[in-house]
Amino acid sequence: MGPSLKDLLSAHPSVTHTLKSHDATTDLPTWISVVTNLNAIAAKTVVYKVKGASIKGDHYAAVVALFTSDVPAGVVAKTAGAKEGRVIGEDVATKLFGVARKDVTPFHLPAVTDKSALTVIVDSRLLAIPDDKTVAFRACADDTSLLIAAPRLQEFLEKAQIEFTTVEFAVAGDKPVKSEAVPKKPVEKQAKKPAAKAAADATTENKELIGLTVRKEEDFPVWYQQVLTRTEMMDYYDISGCYIIRPWAYKIWKSIQRFFGDAIEESGVDDCYFPMFVSEKALNREKDHVEGFSPEVAWVTKAGQSDLAEPIAVRPTSETVMYPYYASWIRSHRDLPLRLNQWCNVVRWEFKHPQPFLRTREFLWQEGHTAFATKEEADAEVREILELYRRVYEELLAVPVVPGVKSEKEKFAGGLYTTTVEGFIPTTGRAIQGATSHCLGQNFSKMFEILIENEAKERVNVWQNSWGLTTRTIGVMVMIHGDDKGLVLPPRVASIQAVVIPVGITAKTTQEERKALAAKADELVKILHKGGIRAKSDTRDNYTPGWKYNHWELKGVPVRLEIGPKDLANNSTRAVVRHNGTSQNISLATLVPDLTTLLDTIQSSMFAKAKQQRDAQTVRLETWDKFVESLNNKCLVLAPWCERVVCEDAVKENSARPDPANTEEVDDKAPSMGAKTLCIPFTQPEDGVKPGVTKCFACEEKAKSYTLWGRSY
Amino acid sequence: MGPSLKDLLSAHPSVTHTLKSHDATTDLPTWISVVTNLNAIAAKTVVYKVKGASIKGDHYAAVVALFTSDVPAGVVAKTAGAKEGRVIGEDVATKLFGVARKDVTPFHLPAVTDKSALTVIVDSRLLAIPDDKTVAFRACADDTSLLIAAPRLQEFLEKAQIEFTTVEFAVAGDKPVKSEAVPKKPVEKQAKKPAAKAAADATTENKELIGLTVRKEEDFPVWYQQVLTRTEMMDYYDISGCYIIRPWAYKIWKSIQRFFGDAIEESGVDDCYFPMFVSEKALNREKDHVEGFSPEVAWVTKAGQSDLAEPIAVRPTSETVMYPYYASWIRSHRDLPLRLNQWCNVVRWEFKHPQPFLRTREFLWQEGHTAFATKEEADAEVREILELYRRVYEELLAVPVVPGVKSEKEKFAGGLYTTTVEGFIPTTGRAIQGATSHCLGQNFSKMFEILIENEAKERVNVWQNSWGLTTRTIGVMVMIHGDDKGLVLPPRVASIQAVVIPVGITAKTTQEERKALAAKADELVKILHKGGIRAKSDTRDNYTPGWKYNHWELKGVPVRLEIGPKDLANNSTRAVVRHNGTSQNISLATLVPDLTTLLDTIQSSMFAKAKQQRDAQTVRLETWDKFVESLNNKCLVLAPWCERVVCEDAVKENSARPDPANTEEVDDKAPSMGAKTLCIPFTQPEDGVKPGVTKCFACEEKAKSYTLWGRSY
């Protein structure tokens, strides 16, 4: 027997940890549930013996990983420079570490004195665990677990001089298991109810099963998955964090592109295309900026069978791609303003909890990058673009947003200041950043030496902005408007605004009457098209009207026009509105103008409804008292604030106590759901901050502004 | 002294090579020029001693590379798993190889008997040298060179059981050398005239230097570079083979997107977006297909600081990305047709001679992927799409193309048959593939198990197509229409169709008269805009009319409208046509209709001129006699052909003798400019093949069709 775990731990007194006693757990599932109740994340230490031509003598590889990570022996061997590997036997465990195989912890690793005989591999997902979460290892006993924060574990490895390689392992169960031809939808989230989860996974194979099987308020994550997949907006993909955008969603993106693209073109912005690849040198030029992005950069290191001499990054954003060329193109004030935009894909390889549209490893966006001679011009453009973003959300997607400026802590890495439009998901009570328009100031133009000779013949740096809007827009829209029947599309972005369905067909209806109804439905569609309304008829024989109602309600089409024998006789149609279920008769004589008006009304009432809900969940507070309670009640908080970073940090920490009623999964971008500033709204309350009088709601300092706070995606 | 090079070579009798005697070369430049005259590519063998913590004992790294490759010691060391490296001294060279350092060749490498002490690195650009080119090494003497084809060198390494790693080194001089802030434009091609090259490299710094310094017919490669960079269509980028598409070119791509996108949407194709990343397993599913692409696939192997468990490919095309999902979405004939399209970027990491727009490592395209129940429907769509491609070239870009079907040898890897529109660059006499529309048959649907139950309740595979059009279109258009003054844009894709320039200003012109002219120019632009004509005025004070003429001629604007005091008096303007220099007066009263007509006339006459030129350089031959001569005279050849692959191979080989007058650089896709089939045109000559009578022009077999042959990009 070697030294006890306690002894091993005491060798590193600065490494904070807890040895937690609990009921004895004789099997793994029980241990996992105990650990979960302790609010910790289960982890494991697995040791392999690896072999290969280049390996002389005995060589081992120890993997420290999240319990849910799939750790294939082949990958472990490869990482250790070997050909194959297998988990060590009990005899070897005892010899190397003096404990049973299941009792090996990272703290046992120093027992291997010949460091060249051991490769240590750490799961990158484990290292990405937020600071305020702990991971749990079995503590050499059935009734004790070792709880330690990921950074402390890393600190221990460094202090013990244990070099390690990080590897991103797949989550067990992420990969297709059965048929190779039909990729199984990876389950990225553990649903709480097995039945609901099975339903979310169901493919379109079962054509009878339409509609959703969970309620939005009951199980929001599964509801979101079902809405996206069953409306054919999106499908899962066999690389985690990447998703397929199907036509029903892509058309919404096209509407946004058309609106925003036309607006910026009108304003004098030109489209262009810069390469997706960035050299390491260019990427690293701006220090603050690269620190913000480098943990998430994907690197190309091979082409065909050849290693590249230098690794090449896939752009996470294009500041460092573009600005070296701005420096060569801009020579004098006559070359300004330079206003370029591109619609493209970018990659940010985040390690935690991807969510379709909201947080994906590859996403689509537009990025504008502009340069001006003066700060005034740059400031004006920042607001011009933000106003267009507000219009995309409010006028196209019927999603209310709060325009404002970000705090110092939340602004764009390397920029001067960031403006934002902030959305809100009432179901979870969480805010979501809609789009950002940054003034970069002269920071990048100094780094990249973008200089002009001004009219006074002086060499001065240009002022720069960058601004971007992503496919996240689509996810926000779905979350806000969708209901228990499925998607609800605002008319302005719906690719089908009205679906015409023949109804009132009975056993007595003759074949001729059926044909007449179908013909009428097609005729109405033609009339609507001419009137500028996107319409479609559903005259399929093999589906009942009821099935069709469900189908098009699920797909979120704003208006259903029913046309039956009676309607035909009255020269009218019954219009049923998706978002509120109301219905009305419309004379066919005035179909186009009446339906146009109806669609406008729907658009504005969807916006009004969402705004009302957002406002109902926004409270104004003057003091700290009810702050956490309000957050727990799924509210945003508007409160007077001193605008200091230390105060924001403190608020975040003090509001991070989890609400037991909050079932939404926590992720690293919103650690344990501490509140952060969303923005300092441009529109301040009329009875706003009294300078020198109003105090910060969270500390003793003087308040500078009313700031919007919330838990956030 | 070790064995002589001759002895070393004789140990591998099957490895074909030549020891070529020549004049003594005492310095490297002389040796290079001798080698170049021998039509060979200079290569080198450099040996490093490498060191690092993990290296026990002496370790060496031998690099076999093109002479022009930059081989940094750091990269060599890293590849060998070491920390640092330096070139070996003479003593070590003698000890290891028995020769002087400069005399080491790859054939000396077996002298190192301890294989674990030597890492061999081969330059991937060297391996990419086409089969019919040779590389030259110094053959241990000043007056002898060893000439060997790259595949033979590889064969030797394999036979001698020398394991090697390939690395893609940068070309010396490719990287910025001076200021880091202003990237130097990499020179990707050695221009023949130093003066012209310097001019091509000139940046926009020298604002006075507008227009081109070389003639299109005299130095086509430099002319092409100058046109692209000086019109601000494109800029070079610090990663070889990647380019920046600037607004002046991107707007042309937008015109094409608008035309083609609207047409396919009208036809029932839906836009979507699939991830850029492909798992290795998915990529390798279809064998023929992956063989066609795998040497050019870029691989992501790291994210942040973590190694990925499995490398992930960047899509070279999306068949294997999409079709697993088609299998899950398509269940019955009611799910068909499935017709999806995406506009996106793809990466093909070619190792040889990139050219802006024509062959780039990342490029933009649309890719359509469709599935049908029957072959008839798939066939019809293949032709429908090809017709749209023809219209993009002929109606938008005024570029004549020949639509036809590809030979078996030239068809898409893994597909059933490929249709194409083939363009032609008269200046070089080379054909260029414009766009392709493939019928994939049932090959992919079998691999990916895309099955439907047809109406007879049988499980059958679907029929698939894929089709793509790239930014290459822009390069073809530039090459065909451009002239010694610069770019010439066809009106339909010109973002400015007419530029209005005030003229006739003399020393006597009053400030008031100047202002009146400028105001009139702006007024005309407004009238033109209302009339649907894209116009712009150039009323800048600090440039002369002559400078402006040159500027807008360089940029290729179709029509210049001059407006001077006399024109004002006559209520007319002088219209000067860019592509043929003609001019005419147009009354301002009828400006919009007259200019509209003029623009239409320009569009059709540009097309007619290009077609005339193409036809003048297309000869019909019945026999082999004048085939090579015709190619050397920069012609395409239409000839009766047996359609057999062996015959096509033979034609390629027999026509590959280089024409000394042909100065265009040779590359691997057109090895030494042997002719290949371009297509079997859909429109056959009226007096075409007489079945059973007409013989193949190249062999004794019966001809099946008249086929178009040529040297090709």
Side-chain angles (χ1 to χ4, degrees), chain A residues 350-369:
Chain A
E350 303 197 53
F351 287 95
K352 285 285 296 173
H353 192 40
Q355 255 200 309
F357 294 114
L358 296 202
R359 188 178 310 152
T360 61
R361 285 176 166 178
E362 181 191 3
F363 58 85
L364 302 183
W365 75 349
Q366 62 63 222
E367 50 179 326
H369 295 269

Side-chain angles (χ1 to χ4, degrees), chain A residues 303-351:
Chain A
Q305 292 303 311
S306 299
D307 292 327
L308 301 185
E310 305 285 348
I312 292 171
V314 181
R315 63 176 161 225
T317 176
S318 297
E319 279 76 7
T320 57
V321 174
M322 292 182 170
Y323 300 166
Y325 301 90
Y326 280 39
S328 73
W329 298 337
I330 297 172
R331 296 295 174 185
S332 93
H333 65 276
R334 283 196 293 267
D335 299 319
L336 294 180
L338 179 63
R339 301 177 71 194
L340 298 182
N341 175 69
Q342 64 183 11
W343 296 92
C344 63
N345 55 346
V346 286
V347 171
R348 296 179 190 175
W349 204 267
E350 303 197 53
F351 287 95

Side-chain angles (χ1 to χ4, degrees), chain A residues 46 69 76 78 148 222 259 263 318 332 378 418 430 456 473 495 551 576 597 614 620 646 683:
Chain A
V46 194
S69 286
V76 173
K78 206 171 119 199
I148 184 166
V222 172
F259 169 84
S318 297
S332 93
T418 289
R430 286 167 69 178
T473 41
S495 48
H551 176 72
V576 183
T597 306
R614 197 263 325 265
R620 181 170 163 179
V646 284
T683 307

Side-chain angles (χ1 to χ4, degrees), chain A residues 89-343:
Chain A
E90 288 294 358
D91 50 338
V92 178
T94 310
K95 196 185 91 188
L96 287 177
F97 306 107
V99 291
R101 195 166 61 180
K102 67 177 176 178
D103 285 338
V104 178
T105 71
F107 293 89
H108 291 89
L109 299 180
V112 181
T113 45
D114 177 5
K115 281 184 183 161
S116 69
L118 180 70
T119 300
V120 177
I121 300 168
V122 180
D123 185 356
S124 61
R125 294 198 309 128
L126 189 154
L127 294 181
I129 298 286
D131 295 17
D132 46 9
K133 282 293 240 187
T134 55
V135 290
F137 293 91
R138 222 186 106 83
C140 301
D142 288 341
D143 60 356
T144 317
S145 292
L146 164 63
L147 305 186
I148 184 166
R152 298 292 81 68
L153 185 61
Q154 195 165 350
E155 188 189 332
F156 156 70
L157 292 169
E158 280 156 15
K159 290 203 166 153
Q161 293 184 301
I162 295 174
E163 283 186 19
F164 60 92
T165 305
T166 56
V167 170
E168 187 200 3
F169 295 105
V171 177
D174 239 19
K175 293 274 176 68
V177 278
K178 273 197 298 188
S179 160
E180 295 220 330
V182 184
K184 190 167 164 280
K185 320 283 182 289
V187 183
E188 298 204 318
K189 171 146 193 15
Q190 291 298 329
K192 291 176 305 282
K193 300 174 187 172
K197 196 175 80 59
D201 293 345
T203 68
T204 48
E205 260 178 300
N206 187 348
K207 288 277 183 200
E208 300 314 304
L209 183 68
I210 69 166
L212 312 180
T213 61
V214 293
R215 289 172 168 279
K216 187 179 183 184
E217 294 291 336
E218 269 176 12
D219 193 339
F220 189 63
V222 172
W223 173 88
Y224 183 60
Q225 282 183 14
Q226 286 195 349
V227 170
L228 294 182
T229 54
R230 294 188 180 193
T231 59
E232 300 184 351
M233 293 188 91
M234 187 277 301
D235 209 342
Y236 287 91
Y237 188 68
D238 76 340
I239 294 174
S240 175
C242 297
Y243 304 91
I244 300 161
I245 306 180
R246 299 182 71 179
W248 198 248
Y250 197 84
K251 276 182 180 150
I252 296 167
W253 186 236
K254 278 172 83 171
S255 299
I256 293 171
Q257 287 187 304
R258 187 65 63 107
F259 169 84
F260 184 78
D262 286 354
I264 59 173
E265 188 176 333
E266 182 66 36
S267 164
V269 177
D270 283 322
D271 280 348
C272 64
Y273 189 76
F274 276 75
M276 167 175 68
F277 294 126
V278 204
S279 67
E280 194 167 12
K281 201 169 73 183
L283 188 71
N284 291 339
R285 193 81 66 81
E286 210 297 313
K287 206 171 144 290
D288 291 337
H289 179 67
V290 77
E291 268 177 21
F293 287 103
S294 68
E296 298 171 357
V297 169
W299 292 96
V300 172
T301 63
K302 278 182 68 172
Q305 292 303 311
S306 299
D307 292 327
L308 301 185
E310 305 285 348
I312 292 171
V314 181
R315 63 176 161 225
T317 176
S318 297
E319 279 76 7
T320 57
V321 174
M322 292 182 170
Y323 300 166
Y325 301 90
Y326 280 39
S328 73
W329 298 337
I330 297 172
R331 296 295 174 185
S332 93
H333 65 276
R334 283 196 293 267
D335 299 319
L336 294 180
L338 179 63
R339 301 177 71 194
L340 298 182
N341 175 69
Q342 64 183 11
W343 296 92

Side-chain angles (χ1 to χ4, degrees), chain A residues 21 30 42 88 144 159 165 167 202 229 238 320 362 372 395 397 426 447 451 461 480 499 568 580 624 668 683:
Chain A
S21 300
T30 315
I88 54 169
T144 317
K159 290 203 166 153
T165 305
V167 170
T229 54
D238 76 340
T320 57
E362 181 191 3
F372 298 90
E395 296 179 11
L397 304 174
M447 286 299 158
L451 294 145
N461 283 101
I480 287 179
V499 61
L568 221 51
N580 60 9
W624 175 262
D668 63 338
T683 307

Side-chain angles (χ1 to χ4, degrees), chain B residues 351-382:
Chain B
F351 286 95
K352 285 286 295 176
H353 191 42
Q355 255 200 309
F357 295 113
L358 297 201
R359 187 177 310 152
T360 61
R361 284 176 167 179
E362 180 191 5
F363 58 86
L364 302 182
W365 75 348
Q366 61 65 221
E367 50 178 328
H369 294 269
T370 56
F372 298 90
T374 64
K375 181 166 188 299
E376 289 66 36
E377 289 167 277
D379 287 339
E381 193 211 49
V382 165

